[in-house]
Amino acid sequence: MSALADQQRTHRQHFAAPGGSHDKLIRLLRVLLPAIVGMLIAVLAVSPFTDSREISFLLAKDEVDIAKERMRVNEALYRGEDSKGQPFSLRAGSAIQKSSKDPLLQMKDLSASIYVDGARASILAGHGAYNLEEEVMQINGPLTFDSGKDYRASASDDAQFSMVDKILRVGGKFSYISDKGFDVTASNVEFYVDDRRLQSFGPVSGSTRVGTFSANRLRGDLNARTITLVGNAQLRIRQGAIR
């Protein structure tokens, strides 16, 4: 073995010997490294409070979760007053407003309560929409109306009811049944609930205690029990009904 190799081996032996320079270096690093790490953590922790610069960023719109519904309510209740100052209420199992610009509340399991001639009347419907600005119910499916006194009415579809003026407009089939022996079925009608005025713009048929009738259109004051048949009017009197 050469003299140079012996010299290098001797140097490494001295470096690795117990109590040598290698051990001294390890002991020093054991102290210095944790201290340096602790100082770095401390600097990082306080730097947000000592840096006065503002940081801003722009978030791409296509990466933002956009709320499709502005408001969703379960067991919704809306109260108001009609044109006579009488209270009314509108309940729904659920109500959704799609946006702040849309005044319509999409409702399910609708029920409304109004006052007619001092009696509490009720309206029931499966689903529809309520216009918060106009206070009008738009019913897409069947609707039933109970006066709370002596008559009931129903609409098959395409019904609109003004909570303030208490006017029911029906584009589909409308039925009116009175406990006093009068009923009428018509399409495309306007029914004024407060004074029981009925106007039909489509075919109408019905019955009274004296017989049955039909026509192309009808105008009626149901409080006064008078009706006017317009266009192709037919009336069949039952024998013995008038004495």
Side-chain angles (χ1 to χ4, degrees):
M1 185 177 293
S2 65
L4 179 60
D6 290 340
Q7 184 178 358
Q8 290 177 347
R9 184 183 61 182
T10 302
H11 177 74
R12 287 196 300 268
Q13 289 175 346
H14 285 297
F15 179 76
S21 57
H22 178 265
D23 287 350
K24 293 179 181 180
L25 178 61
I26 294 300
R27 286 196 297 269
L28 179 62
L29 291 176
R30 285 179 179 176
V31 176
L32 289 178
L33 287 177
I36 293 172
V37 172
M39 291 175 62
L40 287 174
I41 293 174
V43 171
L44 291 174
V46 300
S47 60
F49 303 100
T50 58
D51 192 352
S52 61
R53 291 178 300 172
E54 295 183 357
I55 300 175
S56 61
F57 62 93
L58 179 64
L59 189 62
K61 290 184 179 180
D62 57 357
E63 296 191 17
V64 178
D65 288 333
I66 299 175
K68 296 181 179 179
E69 299 164 355
R70 170 178 165 81
M71 181 177 68
R72 179 194 292 265
V73 181
N74 291 326
E75 298 296 332
L77 172 63
Y78 180 83
R79 299 182 185 274
E81 290 186 351
D82 62 22
S83 58
K84 295 183 178 181
Q86 299 177 112
F88 69 78
S89 63
L90 178 63
R91 292 181 180 272
S94 65
I96 298 173
Q97 186 180 14
K98 292 184 177 180
S99 72
S100 59
K101 295 181 181 179
D102 188 354
L104 294 180
L105 282 178
Q106 302 295 332
M107 293 184 166
K108 292 183 179 180
D109 300 325
L110 284 164
S111 63
S113 175
I114 61 176
Y115 282 90
V116 181
D117 295 332
R120 189 172 181 176
S122 63
I123 302 172
L124 297 176
H127 58 89
Y130 185 69
N131 191 310
L132 294 170
E133 295 179 355
E134 300 177 359
E135 295 188 311
V136 171
M137 294 170 56
Q138 180 69 49
I139 308 302
N140 301 324
L143 173 148
T144 59
F145 178 89
D146 190 333
S147 69
K149 295 180 72 174
D150 57 1
Y151 76 90
R152 295 164 302 284
S154 63
S156 61
D157 56 13
D158 191 18
Q160 186 183 85
F161 185 77
S162 170
M163 300 295 290
V164 175
D165 300 325
K166 286 184 281 189
I167 301 174
L168 176 62
R169 295 180 172 89
V170 181
K173 181 181 177 181
F174 170 83
S175 297
Y176 175 97
I177 301 175
S178 170
D179 294 342
K180 298 178 180 179
F182 173 80
D183 68 80
V184 60
T185 299
S187 61
N188 194 8
V189 304
E190 287 185 352
F191 179 50
Y192 295 78
V193 173
D194 269 337
D195 52 11
R196 294 199 206 184
R197 285 189 296 115
L198 176 64
Q199 186 169 0
S200 162
F201 300 95
V204 58
S205 62
S207 65
T208 66
R209 294 186 186 276
V210 299
T212 62
F213 61 88
S214 64
N216 292 340
R217 291 182 295 154
L218 172 147
R219 294 191 305 271
D221 185 339
L222 304 184
N223 269 336
R225 301 182 189 180
T226 62
I227 58 174
T228 301
L229 301 176
V230 181
N232 195 27
Q234 298 183 23
L235 178 62
R236 295 182 180 180
I237 304 297
R238 289 193 294 267
Q239 286 186 339
I242 301 177
R243 294 181 179 178

